[in-house]
Amino acid sequence: MLSILILLVVTEKNRTLSSDSTPRQMAEDNEIDKHEEVQTDENKDSEKTAETQDVEKETETKEAEKTIEEKPDEKPVETKDAEKATEEKADEKSVETKDAEKATEEKAEEKPEETKDAEKTTETKDTEKPEETKDTEKATEVKANEKVVYLTFDDGPTASTFEILDTLDKYNVKATFFMLEPAMKTYPKAVSRTVKDGHGVGLHGVTHDVNKFYQSAESALNEMQVAQKTLQDISGVKTNLIRTPYGSIPYLTNSFRDVLKENKFVIWDWNVDSSDWSVSNKKYVQNIIEQLKQLDPSKHSPIILMHDRSGTASELPTLLNYLKDNNYQAEIIDEKLEPYSFECHDRCYPITQAQ
């Protein structure tokens, strides 16, 4: 019985407790439900906002596409206007080009007259020039046919030197004088004039005595050095050109030649001998002419040996006229030229053997 009472009491208590907690639980449940509803509404609003945004974006995209579609429609008009403007400019340029071409054609039409005048003037000048051209061609032919000749005079200066210089000056001819040292001292004015007139000068020694000059290599060298100093003292000109007395054969042996060359002296002989010292005055000119005809100028130019004497001076114009008529051009010998001298070929020997 007691157990039943206890059970009843417990049951009632539990019922009471249960009835007390129900409203609270219901309130809590209501709050939960409301909260869930709020969240659901918020979610719906979010979804709605997202949808709205998607719709708006889609709308904007469509409007943008529409705008893009509309712009191409607008551009062709601009393009057409640009093309039209380009065509108009092209037409304008074409007109300008045509005008320019027309102007060029007009100038081209105008120029022929000027060209004709220029051609006419050229023809006139050509007509005026033939005589000058012919003279020039003639002068060129003469120069092409000119043959060089070297006129040389030994043993001077003398009283006849001035006559020789006058004749050479008259014919505008140059020569080379190989002078003796004592004669230079005797006629210093002739030496000075020879240099002043532009003639070549060389040395011929002092004694003109084969026994003294060719006594030794040293004696030959000494004579040339003395003559060199005297010429320089009188004229201010120093020369190394020499011609030994009677030529370099037979007494100028190789030992003599070596000594002279070591002291920078340059030996010059001749290839045309006038023999003016031993024949009549007119005869020497004929001797020269005959030798000139036999000499081949392509191998070596004529080097004519003459002497500074009155007989040679008197007939010199005859020789110069012949040279001029036969296109010979006289030039001087200088140290730039390749020297011409006799070669021994076993023909040279000391003067002591000749004695």
Side-chain angles (χ1 to χ4, degrees):
M1 190 65 174
L2 181 60
S3 299
I4 295 170
L5 285 173
I6 293 169
L7 179 61
L8 289 171
V9 172
V10 172
T11 303
E12 182 65 24
K13 188 176 181 179
N14 288 336
R15 188 184 65 79
T16 304
L17 290 172
S18 176
S19 60
D20 292 338
S21 62
T22 298
R24 185 182 299 173
Q25 182 66 40
M26 290 177 64
E28 290 176 356
D29 291 340
N30 288 333
E31 287 178 2
I32 290 170
D33 291 338
K34 286 181 181 179
H35 182 70
E36 289 177 355
E37 288 177 358
V38 170
Q39 286 182 344
T40 302
D41 291 338
E42 288 178 357
N43 290 336
K44 287 181 179 180
D45 291 339
S46 299
E47 291 175 358
K48 185 177 181 180
T49 301
E51 290 176 0
T52 302
Q53 287 177 352
D54 291 338
V55 172
E56 289 176 355
K57 284 182 181 179
E58 185 178 354
T59 303
E60 289 176 0
T61 303
K62 289 181 179 180
E63 289 178 354
E65 290 175 354
K66 185 178 181 181
T67 303
I68 292 170
E69 290 175 357
E70 289 175 353
K71 285 183 179 178
D73 292 337
E74 293 174 358
K75 284 184 179 177
V77 175
E78 296 175 359
T79 305
K80 288 179 180 179
D81 292 338
E83 290 175 352
K84 186 176 181 181
T86 304
E87 289 175 0
E88 289 175 356
K89 288 182 181 179
D91 292 337
E92 290 176 2
K93 287 183 178 179
S94 178
V95 172
E96 291 176 1
T97 304
K98 288 179 179 179
D99 292 338
E101 290 175 353
K102 187 176 180 181
T104 304
E105 289 174 0
E106 289 175 356
K107 287 182 179 179
E109 289 174 358
E110 291 173 0
K111 284 185 177 178
E113 293 299 326
E114 297 176 1
T115 305
K116 287 178 182 178
D117 293 338
E119 289 174 354
K120 187 176 181 180
T121 303
T122 304
E123 288 175 2
T124 303
K125 288 181 178 179
D126 291 339
T127 304
E128 293 173 357
K129 286 185 176 179
E131 292 300 325
E132 296 177 4
T133 305
K134 287 178 182 178
D135 291 340
T136 303
E137 289 175 355
K138 186 176 180 182
T140 304
E141 288 176 4
V142 170
K143 286 185 179 180
N145 294 326
E146 280 179 357
K147 296 166 285 187
V148 176
V149 62
Y150 298 99
L151 305 177
T152 65
F153 295 89
D154 288 5
D155 299 348
T158 66
S160 300
T161 303
F162 296 100
E163 183 181 354
I164 293 173
L165 292 174
D166 289 341
T167 302
L168 293 173
D169 183 58
K170 180 180 178 181
Y171 283 82
N172 193 28
V173 169
K174 302 300 180 184
T176 303
F177 293 80
F178 289 95
M179 297 181 280
L180 291 166
E181 193 268 346
M184 286 190 279
K185 288 184 175 180
T186 304
Y187 298 98
K189 290 183 180 180
V191 176
S192 298
R193 182 182 167 184
T194 300
V195 173
K196 182 180 178 181
D197 287 357
H199 297 287
V201 290
L203 310 172
H204 200 37
V206 178
T207 64
H208 206 279
D209 185 331
V210 292
N211 292 313
K212 292 180 179 179
F213 183 88
Y214 294 106
Q215 184 177 4
S216 66
E218 288 70 23
S219 63
L221 174 63
N222 181 65
E223 285 203 18
M224 291 305 179
Q225 289 175 332
V226 171
Q228 184 183 59
K229 184 177 184 306
T230 300
L231 173 64
Q232 188 171 8
D233 290 343
I234 294 173
S235 67
V237 174
K238 180 180 180 180
T239 183
N240 292 320
L241 303 176
I242 64 172
R243 175 172 287 167
T244 60
Y246 306 103
S248 63
I249 288 179
Y251 304 126
L252 196 69
T253 62
N254 288 329
S255 61
F256 282 60
R257 295 170 191 265
D258 291 340
V259 170
L260 291 170
K261 287 180 181 178
E262 287 171 3
N263 286 272
K264 300 182 180 179
F265 286 109
V266 182
I267 304 167
W268 275 85
D269 287 309
W270 59 87
N271 54 19
V272 176
D273 188 352
S274 67
S275 299
D276 58 347
W277 59 275
S278 63
V279 299
S280 64
N281 299 335
K282 292 183 180 181
K283 181 64 175 176
Y284 92 83
V285 175
Q286 191 60 37
N287 283 344
I288 292 173
I289 293 172
E290 289 176 0
Q291 291 177 62
L292 288 175
K293 289 179 179 179
Q294 295 175 4
L295 188 67
D296 184 357
S298 65
K299 293 183 178 178
H300 207 290
S301 298
I303 305 167
I304 302 174
L305 169 64
M306 293 178 283
H307 294 81
D308 195 332
R309 52 190 291 274
S310 61
T312 301
S314 64
E315 290 299 319
L316 184 58
T318 305
L319 174 62
L320 297 183
N321 282 323
Y322 173 83
L323 295 175
K324 181 180 178 182
D325 292 341
N326 288 272
N327 298 320
Y328 282 97
Q329 176 63 41
E331 295 184 4
I332 66 171
I333 294 173
D334 59 31
E335 295 182 31
K336 296 178 182 178
L337 295 173
E338 182 69 23
Y340 177 87
S341 62
F342 303 136
E343 295 181 3
C344 285
H345 295 307
D346 299 326
R347 295 179 297 172
C348 297
Y349 51 89
I351 187 69
T352 55
Q353 290 184 9
Q355 297 173 351

